[in-house]
Amino acid sequence: MGETAVSPVQVTGTVLTTRRVDAYHALTVVAPGIAERFRPGHFVTVAVGGPHTSMPARRAFSVHDVKPDYGGTVEFVFAVRGPGTSWLAERKARDTLDLVGPLGRPFPLPRDPCACVLVGGEYGSASLFALADSLQQRGCRVDFVLGAASADRVFGALRARRMGETTTLTTEDGSLGLRGRVTDALPSVIADARADVVYAAGPMAMLRGVTAVAVEFDIPVQVSVEEAMACGYGVCMTCVIPVIGEDGVTRMVRSCVEGPVFRGERVRFEDVGTIPFDALGAPGGRAQEGGAHTRNVS
Amino acid sequence: MLTPEMSVDMRTYLAHVELPNPITTAAGCAASGAELSQFFDLSRLGALVTHSITMAPRAGRPTPRMAETPSGMLNAVGLQGPGIEVFLDRELPLLADRGARAVVSIAGGSVAEYTALARRLADAPGVTAVEVNLSCPNVEDLGRVFARDPAASAEVLASVRATMRYDVPVVAKLAPDVADIVAVARACVDGGADALALINSPLGMSIDVETMRPSLAAGTGGLSGPAIRPLAVRCLWQVHAALPGVPIVGMGGVMTGRDALELILAGACAVSVGTALFHDPYACLRILRELEDLLKERGFERLADAVGLAHRPPGAGPRHRIDLEESSL
Ligand SMILES: Cc1cc2nc3c(=O)[nH]c(=O)nc-3n(C[C@H](O)[C@H](O)[C@H](O)COP(=O)(O)OP(=O)(O)OC[C@H]3O[C@@H](n4cnc5c(N)ncnc54)[C@H](O)[C@@H]3O)c2cc1C
Ligand SMILES: Cc1cc2nc3c(=O)[nH]c(=O)nc-3n(C[C@H](O)[C@H](O)[C@H](O)COP(=O)(O)O)c2cc1C
Ligand code: FES
């Protein structure tokens, strides 16, 4: 499962199409440099608000699809949440967008054919179809488990049904598929598919639950996390989560460059939002014996 | 009149060190430079200012560390970094390899810690200047921030100046949310600072009205971006007026060449770009190009002629800048 880093590029792309997909918006943008470097699991960041914007932070979105049209297009899918995504929802064909990508560590792919369960929560499933495509090209079996709060928020159910060996849908309100969460359905899907690996993208709480299930089955799990970002390319240090390294040491790592895809067992989900006391450089921790002060510094 | 092909002399000086142009990254906004070098050649920057280096590794503050605010953002990163040893082993050599002029920012909790950092940097190759981040709590003074205490700031600068090699300029980085920034600036210069950098991000706060809790885990955070530019201009104006001979690196909300020019007219001879880098990895190069065009349009042959020009008496014509140049640099 190796992958090489690619350098991101900045592209001023023209919006080719906009569409609504249930609760979501999808934008396809001509962005050749990004499309040609794309690997499943990569994300892009978008500048929002136009020239003289009052919103300096870029917005991150997983790449849903790339196509060769017009030298290369990139599509991302988003839910309107705040002012940035509201602005994006108003974009029309032929508008231009400032994109940077591809960013982040993509999903590692298995060397040999194996059985893979792909778990998506809400718009998280958007990043799983390009992955499924790559896996199937390598002769892997792909099963999907997609879930959301309600039917209109389950993204990509049709495509999953077309691509997957099996597709299991869950909604919390029971409006589509099984009533419940993806983690309720996951154990039987793993067992039936005799899965060798799990891939997951969605809210942090879901990734935590999926990781627990995979650990129970003793199979590897790759999760794509979503932590608030400002730059998306590693310079602002705001997107950190506690992750256990190869050497067993927990570090606060940037989810935009070391992630967003991590091995699930290495992410300390229960400690997200804290600095674990045993993390490298934690206040009062061993690593500070060198004499540095442990107080807050702005 | 300048013909369009003529270029403006963009060179500037940090004390005696010549920089090919005045645009630098702001401390903590370009990590250690490796990420930006994916986009362009770092030697095209006037200088690359590193994140603030501490003695020991630091995990920083808990998340959320960032909240966007109108035309700005709050951050509470808490100086996350690997510590001076890893910096010297891996990060600094990489900058030198890439031809970057490295200004190393340092942060400590006591005079002794700043001094120890300076000692480690004193014989490290590839240090163009040292910037002393004074927005740090002094553990020997109940956590009172150095930048709010002229005497403590002066002590830090004196010690770092005495420890660093004589040919490496020492820059004092000041905070704007202090009672009298001119008093702190003067104390730093008297202590031995060769140049000043201002402004660091003033403390701010925002509350999420959904969760009804502070947006940042740390509660307060540093405010940066265009929202603080008027504060930066005021601080630069006051400090340049009081200390016209001291080179100042200006920063605070610079997003365009126009904004850089504003800070230069207020008295900055170099301009650092922070938050704009999060929005646009090419911000420094774009701002440099825009600044050069604006200077050209206004008939300047040299960047140095624009430094502090807004301080000339009302009614004085553009010729007056010649006099100002002599009195200001
Ligand atoms: C790697 C990654 C992939 C993502 N993929 C998708 C996707 O495919 N579809 C989708 O709808 N959303 C995705 N998100 C979340 C998306 O970035 C946020 O919904 C968006 O930034 C919200 O912006 P806003 O202005 O509408 O909301 P606001 O809440 O007003 O945003 C304010 C600020 O917070 C930051 N922010 C807030 N929440 C998040 C968050 N969850 N993640 C990152 N930054 C945040 C924004 O950058 C902005 O600076 C992804 C996030 C990450 C980190
Ligand atoms: C995320 C972030 C991290 C920062 N880290 C540091 C730092 O380590 N040391 C320092 O002296 N200033 C730090 N600053 C302050 C900036 O260097 C700069 O003074 C301030 O942000 C104003 O400039 P801007 O508006 O262009 O960002 C940081 C600012 C931000 C936004
Ligand atoms: S988002 Fe800026 S470092 Fe990750």
Side-chain angles (χ1 to χ4, degrees), chain B residues 198-324:
Chain B
L198 50 133
I199 56 175
N200 210 320
S201 40
L203 276 189
M205 192 165 174
S206 86
I207 291 171
D208 182 331
V209 297
E210 297 300 323
T211 62
M212 299 194 261
R213 299 273 312 143
S215 308
L216 300 179
T220 60
L223 181 61
S224 66
I228 65 167
R229 198 188 316 127
L231 186 54
V233 174
R234 183 270 288 173
C235 291
L236 280 165
W237 178 274
Q238 291 178 331
V239 173
H240 182 72
L243 302 164
V246 179
I248 311 179
V249 184
M251 74 205 77
V254 172
M255 305 299 278
T256 65
R258 179 245 160 249
D259 305 339
L261 180 57
E262 185 180 8
L263 268 50
I264 288 164
L265 293 171
C269 66
V271 173
S272 296
V273 176
T275 303
L277 289 171
F278 306 159
H279 189 77
D280 174 6
Y282 290 99
C284 288
L285 299 187
R286 175 178 52 77
I287 289 167
L288 174 60
R289 204 170 53 236
E290 291 169 353
L291 173 64
E292 188 171 355
D293 287 347
L294 288 172
L295 290 169
K296 211 182 288 180
E297 274 170 30
R298 285 159 178 70
F300 288 95
E301 288 169 34
R302 310 187 320 152
L303 163 81
D305 295 339
V307 174
L309 194 61
H311 290 260
R312 72 190 185 283
R319 290 188 143 274
H320 208 86
R321 72 173 182 256
I322 306 299
D323 312 336
L324 252 143

Side-chain angles (χ1 to χ4, degrees), chain A:
Chain A
M1 290 199 173
E3 76 285 332
T4 46
V6 293
S7 287
V9 292
Q10 185 174 34
V11 173
T12 303
T14 304
V15 176
L16 196 61
T17 57
T18 67
R19 59 191 175 103
R20 287 297 303 263
V21 191
D22 298 323
Y24 303 109
H25 297 256
L27 282 179
T28 306
V29 188
V30 180
I34 299 177
E36 83 197 15
R37 290 173 169 80
F38 166 79
R39 304 265 292 280
H42 274 143
F43 69 96
V44 293
T45 59
V46 187
V48 293
H52 312 294
T53 180
S54 65
M55 296 182 270
R58 296 181 77 89
R59 271 46 174 182
F61 301 97
S62 303
V63 174
H64 173 230
D65 234 343
V66 300
K67 294 228 170 72
D69 322 358
Y70 302 95
T73 65
V74 169
E75 184 176 67
F76 58 92
V77 172
F78 62 97
V80 171
R81 169 137 123 206
T85 44
S86 304
W87 182 85
L88 277 175
E90 289 160 14
R91 294 309 95 200
K92 304 215 162 33
R94 289 194 288 279
D95 286 350
T96 56
L97 276 186
D98 165 356
L99 300 188
V100 173
L103 293 162
R105 173 183 179 259
F107 288 113
L109 301 173
R111 220 170 286 120
D112 304 312
C114 65
C116 308
V117 176
L118 276 50
V119 188
E122 309 271 327
Y123 53 76
S125 37
S127 65
L128 299 179
F129 300 105
L131 171 66
D133 204 36
S134 297
L135 291 170
Q136 287 177 336
Q137 279 174 25
R138 290 174 179 237
C140 294
R141 168 184 168 143
V142 170
D143 293 80
F144 282 100
V145 183
L146 306 184
S150 55
D152 64 331
R153 302 181 69 94
V154 177
F155 181 80
L158 272 179
R159 196 161 171 204
R161 286 203 176 106
R162 269 205 313 273
M163 294 185 82
E165 197 74 27
T166 69
T167 293
T168 309
L169 305 175
T170 67
T171 50
E172 277 164 49
D173 65 359
S175 52
L176 179 70
L178 306 171
R179 179 189 295 270
R181 300 176 178 217
V182 288
T183 39
D184 301 330
L186 186 57
S188 63
V189 176
I190 290 177
D192 293 349
R194 295 173 188 277
D196 300 300
V197 54
V198 176
Y199 292 93
M204 217 54 122
M206 182 203 98
L207 299 179
R208 182 181 181 177
V210 169
T211 298
V213 173
V215 166
E216 193 90 348
F217 280 87
D218 199 22
I219 55 175
V221 52
Q222 298 283 345
V223 300
S224 177
V225 306
E226 185 183 311
E227 183 54 67
M229 295 182 176
C231 74
Y233 71 101
V235 292
C236 74
M237 304 299 288
T238 62
C239 62
V240 298
I241 58 170
V243 175
I244 305 165
E246 301 276 347
D247 55 2
V249 176
T250 296
R251 294 181 179 77
M252 300 306 294
V253 307
R254 293 165 297 178
S255 55
C256 65
V257 287
E258 277 106 323
V261 177
F262 292 100
R263 287 185 56 175
E265 325 83 87
R266 297 207 181 272
V267 178
R268 291 177 61 170
F269 288 107
E270 66 283 8
D271 295 321
V272 168
T274 72
I275 304 292
F277 74 92
D278 56 344
L280 181 70
R286 274 181 302 131
Q288 296 241 334
E289 278 171 11
H293 56 298
T294 55
R295 280 165 180 275
N296 290 336
V297 176
S298 64

Side-chain angles (χ1 to χ4, degrees), chain B residues 69-285:
Chain B
T69 55
S71 295
M73 59 177 269
L74 293 163
N75 89 84
V77 171
L79 301 187
Q80 179 174 344
I84 183 90
E85 298 310 327
V86 174
F87 173 75
L88 290 174
D89 273 4
R90 296 193 215 139
E91 298 184 355
L92 187 59
L94 214 117
L95 286 174
D97 279 355
R98 294 187 172 153
R101 283 161 289 276
V103 175
V104 181
S105 170
I106 57 173
S110 62
V111 176
E113 198 180 346
Y114 282 107
T115 311
L117 285 159
R119 201 170 299 124
R120 295 294 290 114
L121 288 170
D123 26 64
V127 179
T128 296
V130 169
E131 186 177 282
V132 181
N133 177 358
L134 291 167
S135 296
C136 303
N138 182 352
V139 291
E140 284 155 3
D141 188 14
L142 301 170
R144 183 174 175 204
V145 172
F146 286 99
R148 300 215 175 102
D149 180 347
S153 294
E155 210 187 325
V156 172
L157 266 300
S159 184
V160 171
R161 181 58 284 173
T163 310
M164 276 315 293
R165 276 172 36 179
Y166 73 97
D167 58 344
V168 176
V170 174
V171 185
K173 172 130 177 216
L174 309 183
D177 37 0
V178 300
D180 182 354
I181 193 164
V182 171
V184 185
R186 190 169 276 134
C188 288
V189 172
D190 291 346
D194 303 295
L196 300 168
L198 50 133
I199 56 175
N200 210 320
S201 40
L203 276 189
M205 192 165 174
S206 86
I207 291 171
D208 182 331
V209 297
E210 297 300 323
T211 62
M212 299 194 261
R213 299 273 312 143
S215 308
L216 300 179
T220 60
L223 181 61
S224 66
I228 65 167
R229 198 188 316 127
L231 186 54
V233 174
R234 183 270 288 173
C235 291
L236 280 165
W237 178 274
Q238 291 178 331
V239 173
H240 182 72
L243 302 164
V246 179
I248 311 179
V249 184
M251 74 205 77
V254 172
M255 305 299 278
T256 65
R258 179 245 160 249
D259 305 339
L261 180 57
E262 185 180 8
L263 268 50
I264 288 164
L265 293 171
C269 66
V271 173
S272 296
V273 176
T275 303
L277 289 171
F278 306 159
H279 189 77
D280 174 6
Y282 290 99
C284 288
L285 299 187

